[in-house]
Amino acid sequence: LHRENTRWGQFLDGLLALLSETSRFQTTFLAVRDGAEEAYFLEGCNQEIMQGKKIPDSFSFGSGLVGWVFNNNAPVYSGEESPAGLSSLFGRQAKTPVMRSFICLPLGMGKSPRGVLGFADERHIPITPGLKVFTQMVSSRLALFLENLYLKSRVMELKAKAQQALYEEPWNPQSE
């Protein structure tokens, strides 16, 4: 998938569509921490999830099931047949359909996750042991992929700083 889609947005769209098809969940999404680590935002989603409304720029870590996963660094699975379902994936500020089945997995590097991979559906979908293993496997590979992207961008950033420092003229007190 990453060889065919070299741009991050294309790769993510393809991955989320593939995960939706494979898992049979109507909605798959990736939520990530913002740069300041003060909130999270929806990086990608395979379909419209906000019922035609604009997606908020960011969400508080204290809001919704996804915020809970960020705060607790623990996965959540629910495929229970419940008439109530879950209407708060992202908190009150983001109206989503009532989800009767959902999986939210932290994408972690260290103690706090950098992202949450989510699967959600308005229908009842049993969470089988095989589905759990599959989603855990995908989330661990995606976490590794994201960590590699992060490290690659940091190396490029540091390389640019080093080249800039190398080619700048050193300060000479006698030139003043």
Side-chain angles (χ1 to χ4, degrees), residues 117-171:
L117 178 63
F119 300 76
D121 204 297
E122 296 175 62
R123 304 167 297 168
H124 164 69
I125 296 179
I127 309 298
T128 64
L131 182 58
K132 275 188 175 182
V133 168
F134 171 73
T135 57
Q136 289 168 348
M137 198 170 58
V138 167
S139 70
S140 69
R141 295 292 294 176
L142 183 57
L144 182 61
F145 182 77
L146 292 173
E147 183 67 9
N148 286 338
L149 279 179
Y150 171 75
L151 292 173
K152 184 178 177 180
S153 70
R154 287 289 295 149
V155 165
M156 296 303 286
E157 195 178 290
L158 292 172
K159 181 180 174 184
K161 285 182 180 178
Q163 285 178 335
Q164 182 182 10
L166 183 65
Y167 295 112
E168 283 183 356
E169 287 190 39
W171 177 68

Side-chain angles (χ1 to χ4, degrees), residues 6-155:
T6 56
R7 300 211 181 272
W8 169 244
Q10 293 172 328
F11 171 80
L12 184 58
D13 290 345
L15 177 65
L16 294 174
L18 182 64
L19 290 176
S20 176
E21 183 181 326
T22 306
S23 67
R24 298 185 352 247
F25 276 78
Q26 292 172 334
T27 304
T28 52
F29 61 88
L30 175 65
V32 296
R33 287 181 180 272
D34 67 4
E37 298 198 10
E38 296 174 349
Y40 69 92
F41 63 94
L42 199 56
E43 175 82 10
C45 189
N46 73 313
Q47 69 172 16
E48 175 62 44
I49 193 171
M50 299 293 174
Q51 298 180 323
K53 296 196 170 55
K54 182 184 179 300
I55 297 172
D57 292 335
S58 65
F59 305 94
S60 160
F61 286 120
S63 61
L65 180 66
V66 175
W68 187 92
V69 173
F70 271 110
N71 284 331
N72 294 283
N73 197 18
V76 176
Y77 302 90
S78 179
E80 302 298 320
E81 282 198 62
S82 165
L86 174 79
S87 62
S88 185
L89 277 173
F90 306 102
R92 289 189 192 120
Q93 67 195 36
K95 271 291 203 200
T96 59
V98 173
M99 300 298 179
R100 288 186 171 67
S101 302
F102 49 86
I103 299 171
C104 290
L105 301 157
L107 301 176
M109 277 37 104
K111 293 183 179 181
S112 62
R114 298 233 181 256
V116 172
L117 178 63
F119 300 76
D121 204 297
E122 296 175 62
R123 304 167 297 168
H124 164 69
I125 296 179
I127 309 298
T128 64
L131 182 58
K132 275 188 175 182
V133 168
F134 171 73
T135 57
Q136 289 168 348
M137 198 170 58
V138 167
S139 70
S140 69
R141 295 292 294 176
L142 183 57
L144 182 61
F145 182 77
L146 292 173
E147 183 67 9
N148 286 338
L149 279 179
Y150 171 75
L151 292 173
K152 184 178 177 180
S153 70
R154 287 289 295 149
V155 165

